Amino acid sequence: MHHQLKYMKQKDILANLKERFGITELNEMQKDVLSASNQDGDIILLSPTGSGKTIAFLVPLLKALKEPNGNLQAVIIAPSRELVMQIGKVARDIASGHKVTCCYGGHNVLDEKQSLSVTPSIIVSTPGRLLDHIKREHINVHSTRLLVLDEFDKALELGFQDEMRRILRRMPNISRRYLTSATDIAEIPDFVRIFKPQTVDFRENKEDLDQRTTVLRVNSDDKDKLQALLKLLTNVPNGRTIVFANYRDAVERIYYFLKDNDVPVGVYHGGLEQIDREKAISMFNNGSYTVMITTDLGARGLDIAEVMNIIHYHIPITEETYTHRNGRTARVKATGNVYVLVNSSDKLPDYMKFDGKFEIKADATMQLTAPFATLFFQAGKKEKISRGDILGFISNNGGIEGKEIGAIDLRDHYALVAVPADKAEDILARIVKLKIKNKRVRISLAII
């Protein structure tokens, strides 16, 4: 009997999107990419972070996959670990029947090697780690037909060009390339071998974004802006706030100062261990921190929920950086506030236009509080623990109802669980000595 190849049908992919993400219809940009994929040629997608570009390239890519056949069919390369994990999660949720493997630095190489021993249909990886697996012969990329270079402009900026050239040289059978970028790609290197490109341009009209953000100047009397920042934080609406500084040591200094002043604050920069970077994003998203201090590493590609306020502690070095920082708020049609802390020695660039001045009220008494705290479980997917196991374990033993528990972020070897801040110590005391699924798992309050 002739075996018919079963492609993933578009209706099945859309059904998965609805079931997993509550998405009932693709947005205009996603529809345009899908329609472009019905023509010949490679696809260049220009679109801001947070606009749904992951789904835009995954839907046509999944449609083009053959049924799992023991060969690698698609490779998605992204410049940061966080982006790789985000794309991998979405792909796994909608790619019924296809194995998806994520590879990135800071992830256990042996876990990845084990996962690659059964060839996946799709690999999502950072360039360096993918090249490492190719060299060690953990994976053969020769059969790859579909290639996505996500945030391609950022990858070139971060100096991945040499690694990408070496990877692509080993992929002679690519029938379609997807390149995505938040800005225009000035020049596409020859080694990408771009073919009859179609450009789908959904870069946000700058005027639109400007209308949705209010940019306010905040004067700092001291050259050192720490006191002005602390006062500003007690004056702005209590919601997620990201504070940008230009250097890692400044980020650390601001972080410890705010922590000493009882601000629920997290920190994020490239010098942190991978697990601490993951915890920082997760705990900011789940409401354990309301303020995050970061370098410009936090300006792009991170999966952060609605941010109400952006504060520029330092004046950004370029206009592009300024735009990316501000783009963390007012995403997908929301509105947001941008505050620029200015002292007497700051030189303000021409591109920075203010909608007004923000006067700090010295007598503001608003207490900064976080609604949640996070429990750290030292076991995860690889230890066969599921979200349901954790939810049941805490609601049965922690003196708390299931509906009071916040986000559960389950990783390979650990889990982060948001619980009401005022009950966290009590919950921990009740469950810390108990077994979950007959396993003794170390549980503690998560801190960075």
Side-chain angles (χ1 to χ4, degrees), residues 17 26 30 35 79 117 171 207-208 231 257 332 382 397:
L17 277 175
L26 297 179
Q30 291 158 351
S35 143
S117 63
M171 295 182 182
E207 286 71 39
D208 269 9
K231 287 185 193 133
F257 171 77
V332 199
K382 299 283 186 192
N397 303 297

Side-chain angles (χ1 to χ4, degrees), residues 88-102:
K89 181 181 184 312
V90 180
R92 281 192 186 110
D93 279 351
I94 60 176
S96 311
H98 283 286
K99 183 178 177 190
V100 179
T101 298
C102 290

Side-chain angles (χ1 to χ4, degrees), residues 40-85:
D40 279 348
D42 295 329
I43 295 171
I44 296 171
L45 170 58
L46 305 176
S47 147
T49 309
S51 55
K53 66 184 168 57
T54 303
I55 287 169
F57 64 71
L58 276 177
V59 173
L61 180 134
L62 293 175
K63 239 182 94 177
L65 290 183
K66 295 173 179 168
E67 70 171 13
N69 55 14
N71 286 327
L72 179 64
Q73 299 187 52
V75 169
I76 302 169
I77 298 177
S80 72
R81 309 160 192 198
E82 287 76 14
L83 204 47
V84 165
M85 293 187 303

Side-chain angles (χ1 to χ4, degrees), residues 362-409:
D363 56 353
T365 54
M366 191 180 78
Q367 189 62 41
L368 288 161
T369 56
F372 286 96
T374 297
L375 298 177
F376 181 83
F377 282 66
Q378 211 162 355
K381 290 179 210 164
K382 299 283 186 192
E383 287 74 36
K384 304 284 188 282
I385 302 277
S386 71
R387 282 189 181 82
D389 295 331
I390 291 172
L391 188 65
F393 174 68
I394 298 175
S395 54
N396 291 335
N397 303 297
I400 178 178
E401 287 186 52
K403 64 172 188 254
E404 293 177 80
I405 298 169
I408 298 175
D409 188 357

Side-chain angles (χ1 to χ4, degrees), residues 1-34:
M1 183 180 128
H2 179 66
H3 183 60
Q4 187 68 38
L5 276 176
K6 292 195 287 291
Y7 290 78
M8 265 191 93
K9 293 193 176 64
Q10 189 171 318
K11 64 178 177 48
D12 301 329
I13 300 167
L14 297 179
N16 289 347
L17 277 175
K18 185 176 177 184
E19 186 191 330
R20 297 305 177 98
F21 299 100
I23 294 170
T24 51
E25 194 184 0
L26 297 179
N27 66 27
E28 288 309 308
M29 181 256 289
Q30 291 158 351
K31 285 177 184 167
D32 278 11
V33 174
L34 191 54

Side-chain angles (χ1 to χ4, degrees), residues 74 95 145 187 267 383 394 401 444:
R145 292 184 306 109
E187 198 177 329
V267 61
E383 287 74 36
I394 298 175
E401 287 186 52
S444 57

